Amino acid sequence: MKKTGKAKMTRFLEQNQAPDPMPEKIVRLKQEIRHQAEVLPCVLPPEASLPDRLLRQIPYISLWIWPVQLLFLLLFATFLRKEAITVEQLLLLSFTGPLLAVLPVADIVRSFGCNMWEMEAACRYDLRQITAMRLCIIGGGDIAVLAVGGCLYGRHPGGIGEFSLYILLPFLASSCLYLWELNHFSRKCNGYLLAATGIVLNFICFPVLQHIYSQIHVGNLQWFLQLIPGIVIVLSALALYGAVNLCGKQALSLR
């Protein structure tokens, strides 16, 4: 029976061939598909520039990140617009470094916690590109906040040096540590580990910066201020290395 049914189906298909499509209809259909692909919000043409690609990725960033960055910006504007800044205010602002640095990696950790790696790897961009674009977008927002804070603080005598010491250095040091954790404990890294790391960093940085502040103002650590540009360069290079490593080897090993 099965062979008979198969033979009948084969004979029926041979007797009823599908008509050949008209060439003009094929051309019109291709044009319509191309037009629809160009107007879709999630599709980019192959020649799209890097800014266009980054702008298309912004809706996929966690929404809570932007209010947090805006809050830090308002905090800088509130404290740094004053003519004099107390040591308490300065040390309070030093907490913004580790907190700002955790924002880019916290959004990436979401992929670990929700097991989104396979889904992201099947998207238009590979995993390295997605990770790099997230770091660029959120990290760019952090840098913009720090740049505004540096401009506001730079109006004070010696403001750039103090801003680098009390805010920029904690930001870079914590960025290096967060990226190191992601590179070495990616499968176990989550928001709780990052939060614990940030709390420990703040508890360590507060007394250390308070001691440095008191020693500088009594004239014992003036030489340390001359080392700050070099330390900033070294920590920036380490953070960049950690970010590149995360976007490359580590992202590939998790797919």
Side-chain angles (χ1 to χ4, degrees):
M1 293 293 294
K2 292 183 178 179
K3 292 183 178 179
T4 304
K6 184 178 180 180
K8 289 183 178 180
M9 180 62 69
T10 303
R11 190 164 52 252
F12 175 79
L13 293 175
E14 290 175 352
Q15 294 174 356
N16 297 273
Q17 294 290 331
D20 294 331
M22 299 179 65
E24 58 272 13
K25 288 187 176 181
I26 295 177
V27 173
R28 190 163 59 250
L29 179 60
K30 288 182 178 180
Q31 292 176 347
E32 175 113 12
I33 293 174
R34 188 179 299 110
H35 173 72
Q36 292 296 328
E38 290 175 354
V39 299
L40 283 174
C42 59
V43 177
L44 278 173
E47 65 277 6
S49 62
L50 178 60
D52 290 335
R53 297 176 187 273
L54 293 176
L55 287 174
R56 296 297 181 98
Q57 290 296 316
I58 290 179
Y60 300 100
I61 304 296
S62 299
L63 293 178
W64 60 270
I65 288 177
W66 313 120
V68 172
Q69 289 181 335
L70 180 60
L71 179 62
F72 287 137
L73 190 61
L74 294 176
L75 187 66
F76 282 147
T78 301
F79 285 106
L80 301 182
R81 63 182 175 85
K82 300 178 181 179
E83 295 183 0
I85 302 175
T86 64
V87 59
E88 291 81 9
Q89 293 173 342
L90 187 58
L91 294 175
L92 177 62
L93 290 175
S94 68
F95 288 156
T96 61
L99 294 177
L100 271 175
V102 80
L103 297 181
V105 293
D107 191 74
I108 295 174
V109 163
R110 190 178 50 154
S111 299
F112 297 107
C114 299
N115 296 321
M116 295 168 58
W117 289 104
E118 292 184 1
M119 183 183 300
E120 291 174 346
C123 294
R124 177 182 180 89
Y125 304 106
D126 63 26
L127 206 51
R128 291 171 297 180
Q129 292 174 313
I130 293 175
T131 305
M133 284 189 285
R134 288 181 181 175
L135 288 175
C136 288
I137 293 170
I138 308 175
D142 290 347
I143 293 173
V145 173
L146 292 173
V148 173
C151 292
L152 292 173
Y153 206 160
R155 298 179 303 174
H156 302 82
I160 295 298
E162 289 188 354
F163 184 85
S164 300
L165 175 60
Y166 299 109
I167 299 174
L168 187 58
L169 287 186
F171 171 80
L172 292 173
S174 54
S175 297
C176 293
L177 184 55
Y178 295 144
L179 290 169
W180 180 84
E181 287 181 343
L182 278 181
N183 278 310
H184 289 81
F185 309 105
S186 53
R187 292 187 180 276
K188 298 180 180 179
C189 194
N190 53 41
Y192 297 106
L193 177 60
L194 294 176
T197 303
I199 292 173
V200 171
L201 281 173
N202 281 323
F203 274 113
I204 293 175
C205 288
F206 187 84
V208 171
L209 292 176
Q210 191 173 27
H211 176 72
I212 292 176
Y213 184 90
S214 60
Q215 291 297 312
I216 288 177
H217 281 270
V218 297
N220 293 335
L221 285 178
Q222 294 297 326
W223 56 269
F224 184 75
L225 295 176
Q226 300 177 359
L227 298 178
I228 292 178
I231 298 175
V232 169
I233 293 174
V234 171
L235 290 178
S236 300
L238 290 175
L240 181 60
Y241 172 78
V244 171
N245 192 40
L246 180 65
C247 297
K249 179 184 65 177
Q250 188 66 26
L252 287 175
S253 66
L254 287 168
R255 286 197 295 177

